[in-house]
Amino acid sequence: MPGLPYILQKEVTQRTDIKSQSFVGIDLGTTNCSVACVDPQKLLEGDLAEAVRLINIEQPRLSGRLHSPLLPSVVAQVDIDKWWVGQGARELIRQGNYVRGQNIFYSTKSEMGLGKEPFYPYAASTTYDTPFKVAGALLEALTSAAEAELGAEVKDSAVVTVPASFQSGARKDTQRAAAIAGLVVDENSLLDEPNAALLDYLFTYGKDAAFSIQHPTKILVFDFGGGTCDLSLVQVQMVDGRFAISNLAISRYEKLGGDDIDTAIVEKKLLPQLLDQSGVDRYDLGFGQKKNIVLPQLLSTAEALKMALCDEYRNQISLKGIGNVDRKRVTAAQPTIEVRVGSMTLTLGSPALSLTEFEEILEPFVEEEYLYRREMDFGAATSIFSPVMDILGRADLAPSDVDAVLPVGGSVLIPQITQALKKFFPKSDLLAFPTAEAAQVAVARGAAWHSFLLKGVSKPMIRPIAQENIGLLTRGGGFAVLIPAGTELPYPDDGEHALYSGLMVPKEFMKGVNIVVAADGPDKILATAHLEFDQIPRSGEPIGVKYRLDGNKVLEVEAWLQDRPDVSCNVSLENPLSATAVTDEAEQRILELEQRVGQLVKGGSKADLATAMVELGDLNRGTERNEKAVSWYQNALRVRNEPDAWVLNSIAGCYVALQAGERAEKAYREAVKASPESGGLRFNLSLHLADAGRPEKALAEADRACEISGAQPVYRAWKGILLQKLGREKAGKAELEKALEEFEYLEGDDEWSLHWQRRTYLALGQEGKADAIAKKLASVKGTVKLPYVPEDLPGQQLGKPVKR
């Protein structure tokens, strides 16, 4: 595809009136912002390569003004009534007298839309006491730079980008911030950041892409910036000269970004060196001093080391290839730095970082298996595969289903990040922008393209569509379609609601019906609500429904009794995506829990969310879907943000069933590490080590289990069996006989104890007694069945959506 589709090129050349118009795109980033514009004259001349350009922003600094296309997302007070925006403000972070939320504001984007006002109660000025006001100051600087460059107002032509996962509150806060800057930004002028980056890639570099978009193509846009990891899984196809782009799923981790890697470098490397070189004991400085004063002053050094090291590593790869790089010899260094803490001045001389050290620090950020967050004193480490697994789960896709991956943002310039993505998606095309700057400014450039197409020629290339039929489940397996697949969004396009008149109360004496919103039928339930009747209605009484899917991706469905409008219920669902399939009635409990998880994700207790996920893991494990069980367990660990010994033990059990021995051992050891004084966990690890052919190590763990748990006959019996395996017959027999004595004190005949009594008799050669235990064992074995509660659904009659 050579840039813009031919049909659009022809239209552009016929529109000479656009020559005098301005078309601006703004990337309002967590760490950096940028602004780009389309030059209509270049388009008229057919120079598509130069049609979009970045605008330099003038930024005050202590050392003199800077002109750069990147504006750091920092606002700082330099005098009572004087505030700086950009690089100069960012440099002030290194001074010990600036405190975030008071006289300096950064990384505030993740706090937009939370509703608390003032959000920063100790702000030095009410002008910046809320995140959207800080964003307004950033947009003012970007707008002023664009108007100075273009010599014209841009208030009606700007497109501002937002994370794909921004909920309605955050999107509305973005519009409030735009109003501060004098910009007129409606729902159509807000563009999802991953879509903007994809738009720029397709227009500018699409002709070089290894894949074809003549057929539906699934692309994962992996936007990894300084403060967030924002993912969008989209399906792209060229239809009638336009890109039909539909979001299959989105995921955003607001506490995962390049800043977290910088913080880890400070904590693991720079801070210990600083204290050691300055002769300061680790505990001479309080935690608050280290976190709020020392850490901010070291972050820029950590970032510089990271960037220099990545540059050198890329050079070495290009010269020698990945496998031939000597990691110990690849290093980066920075000049000596002085850190002020009150009246003290600490000195860090020639800070350096080797590639080996960096990759050790980076390891938890590229962990593929255990995706819970690793807490550190000053930050946390979360794997990039937490949002990756989250988005694949939401779309019900495997890595092999993704056709291409497009890494975007400053943090994807870390080679190990793209290497990890390539390893995880071996069958996908790994797309790339040609330069580091191109990857950092792609969002602003894509927004500028969108501004031109939306406001200049009224033919936006991005055509959001409903990728699936969205409708309501009805009695007897019916499905009433409300929004057909392929419908352009928002729907209805006038912002009003559409009506559906095809539901009715199906039978007499009902106390209520469930309104179940689904995609493509009963296998993908999105949300439910209960329409409860205050008085018993008659059979066949009509149920009215109104609905819309708006520009902020909020699906609203309201149902009511037609003759009694006060009897109603509603569903409000942001970013309606895929749900997990249900194949038979026995899985009703799993469905209920999955719906519960969906509700808790949108707003609920993290503890309740993790508990539901663990139960889903247990249920899937109980039905031998061990891979799915592992996924739920790992999600529970991610939500809890800390290891849970028995969840890790369950993961290990799943891996044993999957015959993944190394993974099972890793999980067992993680479990023991989390709860080292648990005899049961060490017993399980011992069993696994024995199965792996390492009886000596198994015996050590069994011995420790016995020490911890005292008179636990099962552990003692297992220890005796291991001693026999190692040829220590006398010691083994003694342990087995002692275990039999201890079994006598157990109350009841549970299946587990009986199993080990039988094994103990067999190990002692007493087969007759073992057979007697086997008969007892057969009598207590059984299966547990899941309860099924049928849903009461409305009946369906002839009817169709009617746009109001």
Side-chain angles (χ1 to χ4, degrees), residues 452-620:
F452 170 74
L453 297 166
L454 176 67
K455 302 173 184 291
V457 294
S458 300
K459 283 206 172 185
M461 282 288 154
I462 295 179
R463 185 171 68 108
I465 61 171
Q467 67 269 17
E468 299 168 301
N469 294 306
I470 296 176
L472 303 174
L473 299 187
T474 60
R475 199 169 185 83
F479 181 59
V481 176
L482 301 180
I483 304 175
T487 300
E488 290 198 36
L489 304 178
Y491 180 83
D493 58 10
D494 60 5
E496 297 297 324
H497 287 79
L499 298 177
Y500 183 79
S501 56
L503 299 185
M504 63 179 181
V505 177
K507 59 182 182 179
E508 301 288 348
F509 308 116
M510 295 190 72
K511 296 181 179 180
V513 295
N514 286 300
I515 303 299
V516 181
V517 182
D520 280 345
D523 287 349
K524 293 186 178 180
I525 292 176
L526 303 178
T528 63
H530 187 67
L531 181 59
E532 187 172 354
F533 306 143
D534 55 349
Q535 299 177 14
I536 303 300
R538 68 182 187 281
S539 175
E541 185 167 341
I543 298 172
V545 176
K546 69 176 183 179
Y547 59 96
R548 69 177 178 180
L549 182 55
D550 68 18
N552 281 327
K553 300 182 179 180
V554 178
L555 174 66
E556 297 176 356
V557 179
E558 182 178 354
W560 66 93
L561 281 178
Q562 196 77 52
D563 297 335
R564 282 177 282 164
D566 57 314
V567 180
S568 65
C569 68
N570 63 76
V571 168
S572 181
L573 184 63
E574 301 201 30
N575 292 315
L577 302 172
S578 301
T580 305
V582 182
T583 56
D584 58 53
E585 292 183 355
E587 295 180 8
Q588 180 65 21
R589 177 60 180 160
I590 291 177
L591 168 62
E592 291 171 357
L593 279 170
E594 288 175 343
Q595 289 178 256
R596 171 98 173 125
V597 164
Q599 294 165 354
L600 290 169
V601 165
K602 296 175 184 64
S605 161
K606 286 191 174 182
D608 291 343
L609 176 59
T611 298
M613 288 176 166
V614 170
E615 186 177 350
L616 279 165
D618 294 342
L619 288 166
N620 280 284

Side-chain angles (χ1 to χ4, degrees), residues 134-407:
V134 178
L138 299 171
L139 288 173
E140 278 185 314
L142 295 162
T143 301
S144 296
E147 291 183 341
E149 172 79 12
L150 299 171
E153 288 188 348
V154 299
K155 67 175 185 177
D156 294 317
S157 66
V159 165
V160 180
T161 61
V162 292
S165 57
F166 250 19
Q167 303 297 315
S168 58
R171 289 173 183 264
K172 289 173 183 175
D173 265 5
T174 305
Q175 291 174 289
R176 295 169 76 185
I180 291 173
L183 300 174
V184 179
V185 175
D186 59 15
E187 293 176 355
N188 294 324
S189 298
L190 294 179
L191 177 65
D192 291 350
E193 289 166 2
N195 283 351
L198 179 60
L199 201 58
D200 182 50
Y201 182 85
L202 293 174
F203 284 168
T204 311
Y205 312 105
K207 64 182 185 298
D208 300 321
F211 62 90
S212 169
I213 57 172
Q214 301 307 314
H215 301 286
T217 302
K218 295 181 180 66
I219 303 176
L220 175 65
V221 185
F222 182 86
D223 188 353
F224 191 25
T228 58
C229 192
D230 195 22
L231 277 61
S232 180
L233 185 59
V234 300
Q235 182 165 282
V236 185
Q237 186 176 5
M238 186 65 73
V239 178
D240 298 329
R242 291 195 294 169
F243 294 123
I245 299 180
S246 56
N247 279 100
L248 302 179
I250 55 175
S251 182
R252 181 179 192 237
Y253 276 47
E254 297 175 347
K255 301 301 181 183
L256 171 58
D259 295 347
D260 298 296
I261 298 172
D262 298 341
T263 299
I265 293 172
V266 170
E267 181 166 341
K268 301 292 185 183
K269 181 74 176 177
L270 300 186
L271 180 59
Q273 287 183 346
L274 173 72
L275 298 177
D276 182 60
Q277 290 182 21
S278 302
V280 176
D281 186 83
R282 177 179 179 182
Y283 299 106
D284 284 349
L285 295 180
F287 177 80
Q289 288 177 302
K290 287 183 284 191
K291 182 176 178 63
N292 299 321
I293 298 174
V294 177
L295 175 68
Q297 296 180 68
L298 291 175
L299 282 173
S300 59
T301 299
E303 183 185 23
L305 286 170
K306 175 185 70 177
M307 294 172 64
L309 193 61
C310 290
D311 287 342
E312 178 59 25
Y313 182 35
R314 277 192 297 271
N315 290 336
Q316 291 292 317
I317 290 173
S318 63
L319 291 171
K320 302 177 181 180
I322 294 178
N324 297 319
V325 175
D326 187 344
R327 281 167 159 69
K328 293 182 180 179
R329 295 175 66 89
V330 178
T331 61
Q334 286 293 302
T336 296
I337 179 176
E338 291 186 344
V339 175
R340 284 173 288 179
V341 187
S343 60
M344 289 191 301
T345 300
L346 311 180
T347 302
L348 176 59
S350 302
L353 186 68
S354 72
L355 183 58
T356 300
E357 292 171 328
F358 179 58
E359 290 185 336
E360 288 176 359
I361 293 170
L362 199 60
E363 184 175 354
F365 292 95
V366 293
E367 167 68 43
E368 290 188 21
E369 193 164 356
Y370 298 110
L371 303 182
Y372 48 79
R373 191 164 73 159
R374 269 78 168 176
E375 295 290 346
M376 299 180 290
D377 284 337
F378 304 116
T382 301
S383 172
I384 61 171
F385 293 107
S386 286
V388 168
M389 291 301 295
D390 181 53
I391 200 169
L392 291 175
R394 288 172 181 268
D396 197 21
L397 295 175
S400 58
D401 295 322
V402 177
D403 298 302
V405 178
L406 177 62

Side-chain angles (χ1 to χ4, degrees), residues 623-640:
T623 51
E624 299 185 1
R625 287 173 291 190
N626 288 289
E627 289 190 55
K628 193 171 183 181
V630 167
S631 176
W632 279 116
Y633 288 137
Q634 289 179 337
N635 277 321
L637 292 174
R638 172 175 54 81
V639 169
R640 286 179 177 169

Side-chain angles (χ1 to χ4, degrees), residues 429-467:
D429 291 313
L430 189 65
L431 312 179
F433 288 91
T435 65
E437 183 185 23
Q440 287 182 289
V441 300
V443 171
R445 287 175 52 88
W449 277 117
H450 188 67
S451 173
F452 170 74
L453 297 166
L454 176 67
K455 302 173 184 291
V457 294
S458 300
K459 283 206 172 185
M461 282 288 154
I462 295 179
R463 185 171 68 108
I465 61 171
Q467 67 269 17

Side-chain angles (χ1 to χ4, degrees), residues 93-115:
I93 295 175
R94 293 185 58 173
Q95 297 189 10
N97 58 339
Y98 278 87
V99 179
R100 184 179 183 273
Q102 294 183 20
N103 53 2
I104 194 165
F105 302 90
Y106 53 88
S107 299
T108 59
K109 180 177 174 179
S110 298
E111 296 160 342
M112 290 178 66
L114 299 182

